[in-house]
Amino acid sequence: MIFLIITIAMLITLFLLRRHQPIGIAILVGGLFIWLCTDPTIKELTGAVTRMLSLPRNYDLVGALYLVICLEIQLRKSGCLAGMVEALSRMFSSRRFTLAVMPAFLGLLPSIGGARFSAPIVEEASKGFEVKPEDKAAINFWFRHIFEFSSPLVPGMILACGIAGVKVGDLIVHLGYLTIAAFLLGWIFMVRGLKQTDNIKKEISVEEAKRHNVDFILALTPVIANVTLMVAFGLQASVSMVIVVLAMIPVLMAFNRHVSIKEIFVGALDWKMFVNVICILTFIQLLDQTGVLAQLVAAFEASPLPVPVIIGILSFIIGLLTGISQGHVAIMMPIVAGLSMGDLDLVGVAMVFGVAGQMITPTHLCFTITVDYFKSDFFKTLKLVLLAQIPLSGLFIVVSYFTWGKSFF
């Protein structure tokens, strides 16, 4: 019965997403359906909200997400992001490499424009190549997401670690090799075969070149600093981010890239994002408060299939349905935490297969936006993505098999 309720709740969520409702609202409505079918009392509902508001980790999560936007505003408004792109264009003799690196770097720092922000850059970088719309769409989409496994700035990773009780740095070390593999696979299937027809090179002055080089360093430094603070020093995401954001204010001023404090901290008040996050966190507490989480855990423990296999399959399906990392993370990580709080291996399984699902579904907004921008065929673009995604998932399975042992599966 509990699986039927969960299935219907997920279908309701999917229906609302198809109607272009915000992910947080869609998930919360699904959670309210579960509450109505299990223990529809005001006490349980208010208990879930109270519990959500009392957990310190939730404030760390919201603070970190807010500060990510602050950093994005600093780099974008100061011109560092645009200068970084120009510097990369001159830095690499291989224009193919530049074509792959540009969307990858912009994906490393989640920007408000998402795939729509990097698409025009890919369009510009692809000039001089014999390239189809599907090639450009696949490159923009795939390389923007290779850091889903290794960036402390990815909202899904921050949310996953906060719920499952693992450090962001530990998860990056655990899954970081997949980012390298994703780049190589994207290169093999999407970039390597492109034929260059013209060698387009933009002439700029020495002064402009120097400024772009400085922009490149200024854009890269806060990303490296965040990774270092989280991995080497084990700082919480919000603590690391506030240090970097505050430090960047005088740094940008010193290099004549000043951005007003009001623009940074007021401009980062993305209320839509905060509402989504609060709805997701409330959904998580509803699962716990109504006892659904405990029932799911008990059902998984009684299943003849190994727990990682079940987690992987469910994560993939939910990633497919929601098309967004916060979606499969919000639904699966409470289950992972209930089964084994702080289990890095199990968190890795849920993350990898959840991302695999979101990478091949039309519910993923980045995919939809990219296909629309380049006017590419959805299924031809999907074919290119699948050519890279299938071996990437296969690599994780093989590594996990030989790392954890046959008994784990």
Side-chain angles (χ1 to χ4, degrees):
M1 186 63 181
I2 192 61
F3 286 106
L4 177 60
I5 293 173
I6 291 291
T7 300
I8 296 174
M10 292 303 97
L11 290 174
I12 291 172
T13 300
L14 179 60
F15 173 78
L16 292 174
L17 288 174
R18 294 282 191 180
R19 294 288 181 177
H20 307 293
Q21 296 300 314
I23 179 67
I25 299 297
I27 287 179
L28 182 59
V29 171
L32 291 173
F33 174 80
I34 293 172
W35 167 70
L36 287 171
C37 293
T38 53
D39 193 359
T41 62
I42 298 299
K43 180 182 178 181
E44 294 297 325
L45 186 59
T46 56
V49 174
T50 302
R51 176 68 174 162
M52 183 271 294
L53 292 173
S54 66
L55 289 176
R57 73 186 185 196
N58 290 344
Y59 293 95
D60 177 60
L61 166 65
V62 173
L65 294 177
Y66 167 71
L67 290 163
V68 165
I69 300 177
C70 288
L71 180 59
E72 189 274 332
I73 290 173
Q74 285 179 307
L75 298 184
R76 177 165 48 84
K77 292 283 188 179
S78 65
C80 290
L81 279 182
M84 175 271 300
V85 171
E86 294 294 337
L88 284 174
S89 297
R90 298 192 324 277
M91 192 177 300
F92 302 112
S93 57
S94 170
R95 284 176 52 80
R96 289 183 181 84
F97 193 66
T98 304
L99 185 61
V101 166
M102 285 181 175
F105 189 92
L106 293 174
L108 181 62
L109 180 65
S111 50
I112 294 172
R116 184 59 180 77
F117 183 69
S118 59
I121 298 173
V122 170
E123 182 72 62
E124 182 66 26
S126 66
K127 291 180 178 178
F129 286 100
E130 193 176 298
V131 55
K132 299 176 183 177
E134 289 76 22
D135 295 320
K136 291 184 283 188
I139 289 168
N140 184 60
F141 177 69
W142 179 261
F143 285 99
R144 268 196 59 82
H145 293 88
I146 65 172
F147 288 106
E148 290 282 341
F149 314 103
S150 60
S151 172
L153 306 179
V154 173
M157 177 168 282
I158 297 173
L159 183 62
C161 292
I163 296 170
V166 301
K167 292 182 178 179
V168 173
D170 291 341
L171 188 58
I172 291 173
V173 172
H174 187 63
L175 298 179
Y177 72 94
L178 291 174
T179 289
I180 299 173
F183 184 91
L184 293 175
L185 289 167
W187 179 271
I188 292 169
F189 292 110
M190 302 172 194
V191 179
R192 185 183 60 174
L194 296 179
K195 295 181 180 180
Q196 189 167 344
T197 55
D198 297 303
N199 188 17
I200 299 173
K201 190 172 182 180
K202 183 179 179 181
E203 295 294 332
I204 61 171
S205 66
V206 175
E207 290 74 18
E208 284 181 299
K210 289 181 178 179
R211 182 180 177 85
H212 294 158
N213 290 337
V214 172
D215 288 333
F216 175 78
I217 295 172
L218 290 174
L220 189 60
T221 298
V223 177
I224 295 175
N226 269 295
V227 174
T228 302
L229 289 171
M230 291 182 186
V231 176
F233 297 95
L235 293 183
Q236 290 182 318
S238 60
V239 175
S240 171
M241 286 299 303
V242 76
I243 291 172
V244 170
V245 168
L246 291 177
M248 285 299 292
I249 295 175
V251 169
L252 290 173
M253 290 179 66
F255 286 92
N256 295 318
R257 309 291 201 283
H258 176 64
V259 180
S260 75
I261 293 178
K262 181 179 179 180
E263 277 188 290
I264 297 169
F265 294 103
V266 176
L269 293 173
D270 185 347
W271 297 111
K272 183 178 179 181
M273 184 201 73
F274 293 138
V275 169
N276 282 338
V277 171
I278 291 170
C279 288
I280 289 171
L281 295 176
T282 303
F283 167 81
I284 293 167
Q285 292 307 315
L286 277 172
L287 287 182
D288 187 43
Q289 194 75 19
T290 58
V292 168
L293 185 57
Q295 293 180 55
L296 285 173
V297 171
F300 288 153
E301 290 175 340
S303 171
L305 289 174
V307 170
V309 174
I310 297 172
I311 292 296
I313 293 172
L314 286 178
S315 296
F316 177 78
I317 293 172
I318 293 171
L320 208 63
L321 293 175
T322 61
I324 187 170
S325 60
Q326 294 97 314
H328 68 78
V329 164
I331 295 167
M332 288 306 302
M333 286 306 166
I335 298 173
V336 170
L339 288 167
S340 182
M341 188 70 168
D343 190 328
L344 197 59
D345 292 330
L346 214 52
V347 171
V349 171
M351 281 294 293
V352 171
F353 286 99
V355 170
Q358 78 177 60
M359 287 297 289
I360 60 172
T361 176
T363 62
H364 191 161
L365 291 181
C366 283
F367 204 166
T368 305
I369 290 170
T370 297
V371 168
D372 180 68
Y373 180 86
F374 291 106
K375 301 296 185 282
S376 66
D377 181 88
F378 174 83
F379 291 102
K380 290 180 180 178
T381 305
L382 178 62
K383 179 182 177 181
L384 291 171
V385 174
L386 281 171
L387 285 173
Q389 183 59 56
I390 291 173
L392 183 67
S393 300
L395 174 65
F396 175 75
I397 292 172
V398 170
V399 170
S400 301
Y401 182 83
F402 287 103
T403 301
W404 302 331
K406 297 179 182 179
S407 61
F408 197 74
F409 292 92

